[in-house]
Amino acid sequence: MDEPQILWFGWFRADIIKEYEPLFWEGLRMTVGVTVVCILLGTLLGLLLGLARLADARSPVARVLTRVLLRWPATVYVSFFRGTPLFVQILLMHFAVVPLFMNPADGWLISGDTARDLRQNYGAVITGIVSLSLNAGAYISEIFRAGIQSIDRGQTEAARSLGLSYGQAMYHVVLPQAFRRMLPPLGNNAIALLKDSSLVSAVGLGELAYAARTVAGAYSRYWEPYLTISVMYWLLTLLLAWGVRHLEVRYGRGDSR
Amino acid sequence: MDAAIRVEALSKRFGRLEVLRDVSCAVADGEVVCVIGPSGSGKSTLLRCMNGLEEATSGRVLVHGVAVSDHGTNLDTVRREVGMVFQRFNLFPHKTVLQNLALAPRLLRGLTAAETRDRADALLDKVGVLDKRDAYPNQLSGGQQQRVAIARALAMQPKLMLFDEPTSSLDPEMVGEVLAVMQRLAEEGMTMVIVTHEMGFARRVAHRVLFLDEGRLVEEGPPAALFESPREERTRRFLGKVL
């Protein structure tokens, strides 16, 4: 280490951050990328789970079927993913579930050298995206369910009495209104997801927390790397919150409540 | 020919509460029928069974010969021909007046944007709110909202119209403008079933009045007969209170 030390405020070793700058940028890219992908996948999953939990049918037979095939599985799913620690879910996913689907010998989905390569090069990314999306989907389904249920029943009745199908009524009438009310909790969820992505560093995903850990390990200095990523996370959450507020203003018109 | 609506031995229970008990009636094409009775007598439920918003516990409801009460029936296609107007308007608050009218015809009647707009404009003009076509529902008065709701139902060009207490949540000074629209519709020959507390309107516009009490169809007849000389004691008592 023959580079000159750069001290900020007499104690902050800025040169360490400078030396590892590419690692932090790489980590930032990974954190943002994983978060964005998981928000999209989680929202889609949340919508499907939310609809499954509200599913109903007219005839008695179909009603039983929707209960058994849609409502109950969705309820159990949501209960499990909300009732266990995300950290444990990540470990379970990485060391137990992913190997089951993907291993060189007898993977259910992929086996052979492809499986080995995939897990070596992208194992942590796969774990991160799958486990964060599955977890976010459970929370977001509750947001969808509450949002849909908060819309007056008269809206669905009016749409259906015009002849719109269930799907059309949902898509054109209920969801656009529910979405407005869901924006604040969805925003909170996105912020939580951004922060929770740091947990995936435990299985070696090269995101911000991983970058900080690497730097801390190399120098046995902790203030510099962790303070740096703290500021980066903070800026990211501020940016996200600002974006959500922007959307709320934009889509706020026409809501009577 | 099939009646516009035929109700056969219709019963409806919500849990243990019997809302409709063995109600049978029919509405002919072009007929205007008003349903009156004390609150909780099952009027609205009867109306809502007519387009399948409520499911019959037993009995049958046929709309132009199609059994709405059968599970196999595609309700969506039946409802395209049956307009409904609600007590609380139920306009879509995130859509403008024009979009409220255009949504269903565009999706279900396969019309072009221009065709739906022309049709919507004509209807808005007819109910007297053309100048509000680009406003959102929360910018309208109650009376205007209900007239838009009527126009929205008419935009599907339904064969018959159901009205569920259309003036009950309006300020008194706005009741007249909505009733006027409905009266014109009746005069044009629309088949209408109207649940209402407006006895004057029922008397003036209805061809036939049904009186419901405690879920039973107690008495029916032309308004003159039913209002002037009701046969049943219960009808007399009810009319004594409201007239």
Side-chain angles (χ1 to χ4, degrees):
Chain A
M1 307 290 153
D2 36 19
E3 279 192 33
Q5 286 191 8
I6 306 171
L7 282 182
W8 287 0
F9 315 110
W11 63 272
F12 190 92
R13 288 271 309 270
D15 58 302
I16 296 178
I17 305 304
K18 191 119 189 67
E19 185 190 339
Y20 281 95
E21 197 187 312
L23 196 62
F24 284 104
W25 287 123
E26 180 56 31
L28 178 68
R29 240 189 42 183
M30 183 59 82
T31 293
V32 171
V34 166
T35 303
V36 169
V37 170
C38 291
I39 288 175
L40 294 178
L41 291 178
T43 305
L44 189 65
L45 181 62
L47 171 63
L48 295 177
L49 283 169
L51 289 177
R53 294 193 70 184
L54 295 171
D56 209 346
R58 277 173 73 205
S59 74
V61 181
R63 187 164 286 175
V64 170
L65 282 178
T66 51
R67 294 263 145 97
V68 173
L69 296 178
L70 293 173
R71 271 199 199 202
W72 293 345
T75 307
V76 171
Y77 176 95
V78 171
S79 169
F80 175 81
F81 278 91
R82 286 177 16 125
T84 54
L86 174 58
F87 189 59
V88 174
Q89 291 166 21
I90 290 169
L91 297 178
L92 195 64
M93 183 61 63
H94 193 67
F95 295 112
V97 179
V98 171
L100 200 62
F101 285 90
M102 231 185 258
N103 74 59
D106 56 352
W108 288 2
L109 209 61
I110 306 170
S111 53
D113 288 343
T114 330
R116 194 191 327 259
D117 292 349
L118 268 179
R119 269 180 56 198
Q120 218 143 52
N121 300 327
Y122 302 105
V125 182
I126 294 169
T127 298
I129 288 177
V130 172
S131 51
L132 288 175
S133 298
L134 292 181
N135 183 273
Y139 282 92
I140 293 174
S141 79
E142 291 289 277
I143 298 175
F144 268 102
R145 193 166 70 120
I148 290 169
Q149 282 179 331
S150 80
I151 301 302
D152 188 83
R153 216 163 52 110
Q155 291 291 307
T156 312
E157 290 182 350
R160 297 304 303 274
S161 72
L162 285 164
L164 269 64
S165 67
Y166 172 82
Q168 288 170 327
M170 266 293 155
Y171 183 78
H172 292 283
V173 175
V174 178
L175 284 177
Q177 296 180 61
F179 189 66
R180 272 153 221 218
R181 293 184 200 176
M182 286 165 46
L183 268 174
L186 278 179
N188 289 339
N189 203 275
I191 288 170
L193 190 61
L194 172 73
K195 295 187 292 185
D196 287 345
S197 68
S198 62
L199 290 173
V200 191
S201 67
V203 297
L205 181 70
E207 41 68 78
L208 277 176
Y210 189 80
R213 206 170 59 169
T214 308
V215 174
Y219 278 88
S220 295
R221 300 273 305 190
Y222 299 96
W223 275 103
E224 286 82 359
Y226 285 114
L227 201 57
T228 302
I229 64 161
S230 294
V231 170
M232 292 172 87
Y233 276 119
W234 193 14
L235 289 176
L236 285 175
T237 54
L238 285 175
L239 195 71
L240 244 178
W242 177 82
V244 170
R245 238 192 343 267
H246 195 73
L247 283 177
E248 280 175 50
V249 171
R250 198 175 143 194
Y251 291 106
R253 82 214 143 122
D255 194 340
S256 55
R257 272 153 283 228
Chain B
M1 205 183 105
D2 285 316
I5 299 175
R6 182 175 297 283
V7 176
E8 296 172 351
L10 175 66
S11 292
K12 173 70 184 173
R13 270 199 312 272
F14 290 111
R16 297 177 114 175
L17 187 68
E18 275 193 272
V19 184
L20 291 174
R21 306 171 202 221
D22 195 24
V23 173
S24 296
C25 60
V27 178
D29 274 315
E31 198 178 18
V32 177
V33 172
C34 281
V35 184
I36 62 169
S39 38
S41 59
K43 311 182 293 289
S44 289
T45 306
L46 173 62
L47 195 75
R48 290 162 60 87
C49 282
M50 289 176 178
N51 70 348
L53 281 184
E54 300 291 352
E55 206 180 329
T57 306
S58 66
R60 299 215 304 165
V61 178
L62 299 113
V63 174
H64 287 118
V66 178
V68 175
S69 44
D70 284 2
H71 290 310
T73 303
N74 183 348
L75 283 180
D76 297 341
T77 48
V78 176
R79 285 169 176 157
R80 285 176 206 179
E81 316 300 333
V82 182
M84 182 148 193
V85 175
F86 298 85
Q87 182 178 347
R88 294 189 52 247
F89 328 136
N90 295 343
L91 292 177
F92 307 135
H94 61 302
K95 293 187 177 295
T96 65
V97 166
L98 182 65
Q99 290 166 342
N100 264 274
L101 266 69
L103 177 66
R106 192 169 48 77
L107 286 175
L108 306 173
R109 297 286 195 216
L111 299 185
T112 65
E115 285 169 332
T116 43
R117 206 173 43 241
D118 290 345
R119 192 190 281 187
D121 281 353
L123 285 168
L124 289 174
D125 193 28
K126 181 173 168 179
V127 301
V129 284
L130 184 56
D131 55 326
K132 300 290 183 187
R133 61 182 285 208
D134 296 315
Y136 284 91
N138 62 4
Q139 297 168 309
L140 307 182
S141 73
Q144 289 168 333
Q145 288 192 49
Q146 193 61 301
R147 284 183 282 152
V148 170
I150 294 172
R152 177 177 67 178
L154 290 174
M156 282 297 285
Q157 300 189 325
K159 298 203 176 79
L160 59 117
M161 289 278 287
L162 308 176
F163 295 82
D164 188 4
E165 302 198 23
T167 58
S168 292
S169 53
L170 292 177
D171 292 333
E173 74 268 25
M174 293 171 183
V175 169
E177 63 194 55
V178 171
L179 292 182
V181 167
M182 290 166 59
Q183 179 158 5
R184 249 185 74 195
L185 205 54
E187 285 160 5
E188 288 168 12
M190 175 62 81
T191 310
M192 296 162 77
V193 182
I194 305 161
V195 170
T196 187
H197 293 290
E198 298 290 334
M199 297 305 151
F201 174 81
R203 200 169 187 157
R204 211 166 54 240
V205 177
H207 300 133
R208 198 149 50 88
V209 178
L210 311 185
F211 172 66
L212 252 65
D213 192 21
E214 294 178 348
R216 278 183 218 286
L217 178 56
V218 175
E219 184 168 356
E220 64 174 302
L226 192 126
F227 284 113
E228 305 301 339
S229 48
R231 292 188 308 270
E232 299 291 329
E233 173 57 28
R234 275 194 284 177
T235 317
R236 252 193 301 275
R237 244 183 301 142
F238 173 73
L239 290 175
K241 269 184 249 169
V242 296
L243 289 182

